[in-house]
Amino acid sequence: MSSSPFRPVRSERGSAALFAALLAVAPVAAQTNWSNNLSPTARPTANDSFAIAAADPSPFAPQGLILCFGGFDGVRLTNETWVFDVQSSTWAQVASGPRPSPREGHALAYDPLVNAFVLHGGRQTSVVGATGRGNQVLNDTWQFNVSNFTWQQLSAQNGGITPPLHDHAMVFDRGRGQMLVFGGHQNTVNGPLLGDEMWLFRNFTGVINQHAWRLDFAGTNSPFGRAKHGMTYDQNRRRVVMYGGLLGPNLTPTAEFLEYDSSQFGFSAWTNVTATAQPALSPARGPQMAYDVARGRVMFFGNEGVNGAAIVREFDGTNWFTRNQGIPLRPNGAGFAYDPVSRRSLFYGGFLVNQTRTYGPTTVSDLRSYGFGCGGGGSVPSLNGRNGLELQIGTSRDVVVGNLAANHPFGTVGVSVLAANPPVPLGGGCQVLLDSSFVTLPTFFTGGANSLSVPLNPIPNTPAFLGSKLFFQALLFDTNPANPLGLVLSNGLDTTVGAL
């Protein structure tokens, strides 16, 4: 049977008229919000020019964590290390042992291959602990290990050494498993020499002490050098997205919006992007950018123009959307990082301001695997969301059927609003994880592929669907059957529909 994945809503609630009424509800307008200032009693002393990034959940930090290091506290630079728990809305100071020197304008990003944060460069005072802003530019590299909350300085191995840099940008390219660093003031504090180079940093084997920096390209093969720009990695489209910054000897703000395809090399890797409602000139202190994995949105947070109002915009790969409801004041110098566990982003600081707030969807989506599949005479098929995307109202998403084999010529994906309790055995170790009222999406043919994406019907943009549960499981015909029905099945997906 083939149907929309939303037809089970009708059968669960027992009314076709109710389902029709849901579709008639007016579309949702604002689907994101800001929390009030959380005002934790313990928090970083720095509120300007620090670095902040978020880690994936791991056995050492099952709820994930957001790391904040260094910055300016209004009097002097610090080298405090703080972690923020979004679940409890609390800060905790950690890592009292060896650590980077007090600094500002440094770059920080998380490397999931080694479960560690990488910190690079910045500027420090020539006398450690002196008052005032940094006057000495750095090019050292450190790693903060999530497993034991310790810092480790890394020396160059089998590669180059970056120039001293501050106010540069660094992201982790999950497609190629490496850090990318672009731009920044080179060698001198706020100097006219602005980096136009892309530096790559890689932990070759997943072991923390095996690593190297490598220069990708420079000069005419890259955008103009810049500092205080925003940069993040779009995991769904596998692009580095860069916006704004300061250009030229006069440090003029720019509205350039560019993307970098790391699967290419040279000039063709960078493209200028024209989007509707593109933000105005970036602020002098630079835009903050982060990527919302669950919603597939690049988020920009900063000031519109040099002295303009605070603004939040999101980019879906084609268009920018303005999301200004409840926006914090004074975003200059603040930090902004997306937490993959809570599906919300942390805002902290702002020049001479100590705000701690979160930003994200009004109703959070969720997607997690449950149960297990069966393989019959071959491999066990898997079912996942595509590139971390989850289900939100007003979106069209795919699910990915993976680990396919030649003995799986065709199949379908079943959808229900309830999970089977208990699972229904089919024989041969196979079990149906969906309630008996499940419906199926159109049949697909594998064509010998190892994996393929199965599109879902668009989810109506109506508030009545917020928080709805949907369960998925792939069912494939098997030429080496494990049971009389000739089927093998994947794990299940337990999903919650959220706001976009």
Side-chain angles (χ1 to χ4, degrees):
M1 173 180 177
S2 178
S3 178
S4 161
F6 287 91
R7 199 159 292 175
V9 172
R10 174 184 58 190
S11 59
E12 183 191 31
R13 299 183 182 182
S15 172
L18 175 60
F19 181 74
L22 292 178
L23 294 180
V25 177
V28 178
Q31 298 182 31
T32 56
N33 64 6
W34 286 91
S35 71
N36 294 324
N37 188 4
L38 302 175
S39 301
T41 55
R43 60 191 181 193
T45 58
N47 49 34
D48 179 31
S49 299
F50 52 85
I52 193 168
D56 292 347
S58 71
F60 305 101
Q63 297 302 317
L65 62 87
I66 295 176
L67 182 73
C68 178
F69 179 82
F72 183 66
D73 67 5
V75 177
R76 58 176 52 84
L77 304 180
T78 82
N79 64 345
E80 296 175 349
T81 305
W82 291 78
V83 295
F84 184 77
D85 182 344
V86 176
Q87 303 295 321
S88 62
S89 299
T90 57
W91 285 101
Q93 190 172 4
V94 298
S96 58
R99 51 188 158 160
S101 61
R103 65 188 65 200
E104 62 180 331
H106 43 293
L108 181 74
Y110 173 72
D111 183 344
L113 299 183
V114 294
N115 194 26
F117 293 88
V118 176
L119 181 148
H120 179 264
R123 60 183 189 177
Q124 65 180 9
T125 54
S126 53
V127 177
V128 175
T131 59
R133 311 301 294 246
N135 58 8
Q136 185 179 67
V137 189
L138 303 166
N139 66 344
D140 53 347
T141 305
W142 291 74
Q143 267 188 182
F144 178 81
N145 307 316
V146 174
S147 61
N148 55 16
F149 281 16
T150 60
W151 285 101
Q152 174 186 5
Q153 187 169 8
L154 306 179
S155 58
Q157 296 181 1
N158 305 317
I161 300 176
T162 70
L165 294 170
H166 77 88
D167 292 322
H168 49 311
M170 179 166 65
V171 299
F172 185 78
D173 181 340
R174 290 178 180 255
R176 295 182 66 192
Q178 60 190 3
M179 292 287 178
L180 304 179
V181 168
F182 184 82
H185 293 280
Q186 288 190 8
N187 302 320
T188 59
V189 173
N190 293 329
L193 182 58
L194 300 173
D196 61 358
E197 302 167 337
M198 178 71 81
W199 284 88
L200 314 178
F201 179 82
R202 174 173 294 192
N203 287 290
F204 287 107
T205 64
V207 178
I208 288 179
N209 62 0
Q210 296 185 15
H211 48 264
W213 283 102
R214 178 173 66 85
L215 180 63
D216 192 357
F217 58 82
T220 58
N221 291 333
S222 69
F224 292 117
R226 66 197 62 212
K228 293 184 179 292
H229 46 294
M231 200 161 80
T232 192
Y233 182 73
D234 185 329
Q235 183 173 312
N236 180 43
R237 298 185 303 121
R238 299 194 174 190
R239 297 287 189 273
V240 175
V241 180
M242 183 169 72
Y243 173 72
L246 307 177
L247 303 181
N250 296 324
L251 302 181
T252 304
T254 178
E256 269 193 324
F257 179 51
L258 303 107
E259 290 184 347
Y260 173 76
D261 180 357
S262 64
S263 67
Q264 305 180 53
F265 296 93
F267 181 76
S268 61
W270 284 101
T271 56
N272 278 286
V273 179
T274 300
T276 61
Q278 186 164 323
L281 296 178
S282 63
R285 287 184 176 270
Q288 295 289 318
M289 297 181 76
Y291 178 70
D292 186 323
V293 177
R295 297 188 298 134
R297 292 283 182 94
V298 170
M299 299 175 291
F300 159 87
F301 177 60
N303 290 88
E304 189 163 51
V306 178
N307 298 306
I311 189 170
V312 173
R313 283 185 173 154
E314 298 179 350
F315 181 65
D316 67 357
T318 304
N319 300 311
W320 285 100
F321 303 91
T322 301
R323 298 286 179 90
N324 279 350
Q325 297 84 357
I327 190 170
L329 301 174
R330 304 294 296 273
N332 281 351
F336 194 56
Y338 173 77
D339 172 50
V341 177
S342 67
R343 276 76 163 176
R344 291 181 69 86
S345 297
L346 175 70
F347 164 89
Y348 172 71
F351 187 57
L352 302 182
V353 177
N354 286 97
Q355 296 186 73
T356 299
R357 301 177 67 175
T358 63
Y359 168 81
T362 52
T363 302
V364 175
S365 59
D366 193 18
L367 184 151
R368 61 189 65 198
S369 176
Y370 75 100
F372 55 86
C374 61
S379 59
V380 178
S382 63
L383 188 65
N384 294 286
R386 182 168 64 86
N387 295 335
L389 295 176
E390 298 178 354
L391 306 184
Q392 293 91 24
I393 59 175
T395 64
S396 297
R397 300 296 194 212
D398 297 349
V399 290
V400 178
V401 184
N403 206 28
L404 298 172
N407 54 304
H408 303 151
F410 62 88
T412 186
V413 172
V415 190
S416 68
V417 294
L418 295 171
N421 186 21
V424 179
L426 291 184
C430 295
Q431 56 183 4
V432 177
L433 302 172
L434 306 177
D435 178 78
S436 60
S437 64
F438 77 86
V439 298
T440 58
L441 300 177
T443 301
F444 57 80
F445 293 88
T446 62
N450 178 257
S451 67
L452 52 85
S453 293
V454 178
L456 307 179
N457 289 356
I459 301 173
N461 188 23
T462 60
F465 282 105
L466 291 173
S468 296
K469 299 287 289 185
L470 289 173
F471 299 86
F472 299 85
Q473 186 177 24
L475 303 85
L476 294 118
F477 177 75
D478 187 7
T479 57
N480 299 313
N483 50 67
L485 295 179
L487 297 175
V488 292
L489 294 88
S490 73
N491 59 291
L493 286 183
D494 176 350
T495 72
T496 303
V497 179
L500 186 63

